[in-house]
Amino acid sequence: MSKNREYDYLIIGAGLFGAVFAHEATKKNKRCLVIDKRNHLGGNTYCENIEGINVHKYGAHIFHTNDKFIWDYVNSFVPFNRYTNSPLANYKGELYNLPFNMNTFHQLWNVKTPDEAKAIIDKQTKEHKTKRPTNLEEQALSLVGKDIYEKLIKGYTEKQWGRKATQLPAFIIKRLPLRFTFDNNYFNDTYQGIPIGGYNMLTNGLLNGIECRTGIDFFEDRENLSDLADNIVFTGKIDEFYDYSLGRLEYRSLEFKHKILRKSNFQGNAVVNYTAANIPYTRILEHKHFEFGNQENTIITEEYPLEASIKNEPYYPINDTKNTNLYKAYKEMSEQDQIIFGGRLAEYKYYDMHQIIGAALARAKKLLS
Ligand code: FAD
């Protein structure tokens, strides 16, 4: 290992994986340089402050975990508020609470007790339970029945995947939890919330005192940048790291249309899903409600699902057989290298924020102890 390089670690990507790793390495007196090709830090958690409102530029980010250690860790950088994710569904102007619970069942069928709700669901699922589901539609019908499927699942899922539910594999929906209590809290985790002042406070806390350079794409100056440090942590796309030599890994993407509205409150909730097929977007976010804002104006974001393409931002890995095998081949290749690959793009895996923090802490512990 060279002794005269400027840094111990070059960390490519200033998302949560890179930021947590850099923080832990710096605590161990390692010299770190963090670079990111975007013009800001924070990766997908980045918020742009517009009109005093923290706008989640890359989609709604709600922190939730069951792990007290991770919760205390993030709260040591910034306190979190008491935001509880309780999305609504709008189906042709009718509003339903999510996740499916006694409020939803009351709105659908005017039932008031769990027994009444169960009786309807049992009746509607019975006829679909006999045969093995061959596609997503059959699977959903056997789990929740016709009414919930048609109003709250079908259109949304078809928009999300860009394909008919009858052409989607059944395994996409493994379970559809039904809650027979009046509880609109989307997550079952013990802890959840949004950093007070927004996610940039968390990023800034993690990266405080660490040298960071934005607007720098590793691949545009690969050799010189690699020469700067003894070790490289790479959190970008693993297929890009190997020049797509085995082919491209595919991702579903999203387009975000942000709008400033000259009114104080548009939909009264941070997240509203649009479940009918004729509305092109899947959700509208109203950002001020993540932080109980009372600004004069409001900012909303419509989320439009997009096909995987080279031009689109990579958001959700498509873990089908073809892509899974391709990732395995890249992973094998990476095992010959000294590079530390981590994060959602390098591991081609959907991770929630608490999971990525856990993964970065574990990796740092292993490598730095
Ligand atoms: P990223 O945040 O993507 O960071 C990777 C960074 O690497 C990026 O900033 C990128 O610009 C940089 N980079 C890539 N290539 C290069 C290069 N060549 N040179 C320089 N820099 C490079 N999690 C939750 O817990 N709750 C939620 O509600 C939630 N909502 C989500 C909504 C959406 C739409 C998406 C896509 C994800 C959501 N997540 C949520 C997951 C969360 O975003 C991830 O867990 C987290 O962002 C992963 O961090 P990361 O560091 O691996 O990746």
Side-chain angles (χ1 to χ4, degrees):
M1 209 181 269
S2 155
K3 286 276 175 234
N4 49 15
R5 288 192 170 145
E6 217 176 321
Y7 302 97
D8 296 306
Y9 286 93
L10 168 70
I11 294 153
I12 300 150
L16 274 178
F17 191 97
V20 168
F21 192 94
H23 183 83
E24 294 304 307
T26 306
K27 268 197 332 208
K28 297 272 181 189
N29 296 321
K30 302 292 179 197
R31 298 156 305 158
C32 295
L33 171 64
V34 180
I35 62 164
D36 202 294
K37 65 179 177 184
R38 292 175 174 164
N39 63 2
H40 59 73
L41 305 173
N44 279 355
T45 66
Y46 171 71
C47 295
E48 186 176 340
N49 194 282
I50 306 172
E51 306 226 352
I53 298 166
N54 289 313
V55 176
H56 296 211
K57 288 293 275 191
Y58 303 96
H61 275 74
I62 299 135
F63 196 92
H64 58 98
T65 182
N66 263 328
D67 188 326
K68 185 167 187 318
F69 181 81
I70 303 249
W71 182 244
D72 290 343
Y73 184 79
V74 291
N75 275 272
S76 72
F77 300 102
V78 51
F80 278 55
N81 71 16
R82 60 151 192 87
Y83 176 79
T84 303
N85 194 30
S86 14
L88 291 164
N90 182 323
Y91 175 77
K92 300 187 175 174
E94 297 166 10
L95 288 183
Y96 296 97
N97 286 107
L98 297 174
F100 310 135
N101 71 72
M102 280 305 295
N103 288 308
T104 331
F105 309 144
H106 175 71
Q107 289 146 355
L108 278 165
W109 306 307
N110 199 27
V111 293
K112 293 173 186 69
T113 66
D115 285 346
E116 288 172 315
K118 278 181 190 160
I120 295 180
I121 292 166
D122 283 348
K123 188 163 173 273
Q124 291 197 7
T125 51
K126 210 172 186 175
E127 54 200 277
H128 302 283
K129 280 212 191 295
T130 45
K131 55 181 181 112
R132 221 169 133 241
T134 59
N135 58 51
L136 187 146
E137 177 162 300
E138 290 174 7
Q139 170 81 324
L141 285 168
S142 73
L143 291 169
V144 294
K146 182 169 170 289
D147 290 346
I148 297 177
Y149 171 66
E150 285 186 352
K151 291 192 168 187
L152 301 174
I153 297 172
K154 186 173 190 286
Y156 188 86
T157 311
E158 290 184 344
K159 287 189 279 189
Q160 221 177 11
W161 290 94
R163 262 183 275 162
K164 291 266 170 242
T166 47
Q167 292 162 2
L168 288 165
F171 75 80
I172 292 184
I173 293 185
K174 291 198 181 77
R175 295 178 324 119
L176 283 170
L178 298 170
R179 215 179 256 172
F180 293 95
T181 53
F182 291 90
D183 179 4
N184 297 327
N185 181 352
Y186 194 78
F187 297 116
N188 290 315
D189 289 349
T190 311
Y191 310 104
Q192 74 177 295
I194 304 282
I196 293 174
Y199 281 93
N200 301 355
M201 301 287 285
L202 176 60
T203 306
N204 294 342
L206 285 164
L207 292 174
N208 185 22
I210 299 172
E211 188 177 345
C212 299
R213 299 185 200 159
T214 55
I216 296 197
D217 188 331
F218 173 67
F219 297 115
E220 283 176 9
D221 195 12
R222 188 172 183 151
E223 274 184 29
N224 287 327
L225 286 165
S226 301
D227 271 350
L228 290 176
D230 291 336
N231 304 285
I232 293 180
V233 177
F234 182 76
T235 75
K237 287 161 61 184
I238 191 165
D239 52 352
E240 191 176 12
F241 191 88
Y242 291 109
D243 291 325
Y244 304 108
S245 53
L246 305 176
R248 281 177 188 271
L249 290 165
E250 292 173 304
Y251 290 85
R252 289 285 298 167
S253 191
L254 290 169
E255 186 187 358
F256 300 109
K257 288 193 183 161
H258 307 290
K259 295 180 180 172
I260 301 174
L261 305 182
R262 302 287 158 212
K263 54 162 69 183
S264 64
N265 195 354
F266 171 71
Q267 61 186 17
N269 206 41
V271 183
V272 178
N273 292 3
Y274 282 77
T275 56
N278 64 328
I279 305 275
Y281 42 82
T282 45
R283 308 200 287 186
I284 294 188
L285 315 178
E286 187 170 11
H287 299 271
K288 71 193 317 180
H289 298 310
F290 289 121
E291 297 182 57
F292 316 107
N294 47 21
Q295 297 85 352
E296 198 182 333
N297 295 321
T298 194
I299 301 181
I300 63 164
T301 300
E302 295 164 355
E303 285 188 8
Y304 295 79
L306 291 179
E307 277 300 322
S309 114
I310 301 168
K311 285 184 288 156
N312 297 336
E313 277 277 340
Y315 285 124
Y316 298 110
I318 301 177
N319 297 108
D320 58 9
T321 314
K322 184 181 116 195
N323 285 293
T324 304
N325 288 338
L326 184 56
Y327 169 67
K328 274 189 197 148
Y330 277 119
K331 184 155 175 12
E332 266 171 37
M333 222 179 205
S334 74
E335 276 153 13
Q336 319 301 317
D337 274 323
Q338 295 300 308
I339 311 292
I340 301 152
F341 289 93
R344 64 180 193 101
L345 297 167
E347 295 180 52
Y348 193 60
K349 186 173 174 193
Y350 179 84
Y351 275 112
D352 271 327
M353 290 180 281
H354 61 288
Q355 296 168 319
I356 212 82
I357 291 171
L361 285 173
R363 193 70 74 81
K365 193 172 173 189
K366 194 170 163 210
L367 291 165
L368 298 162
S369 57

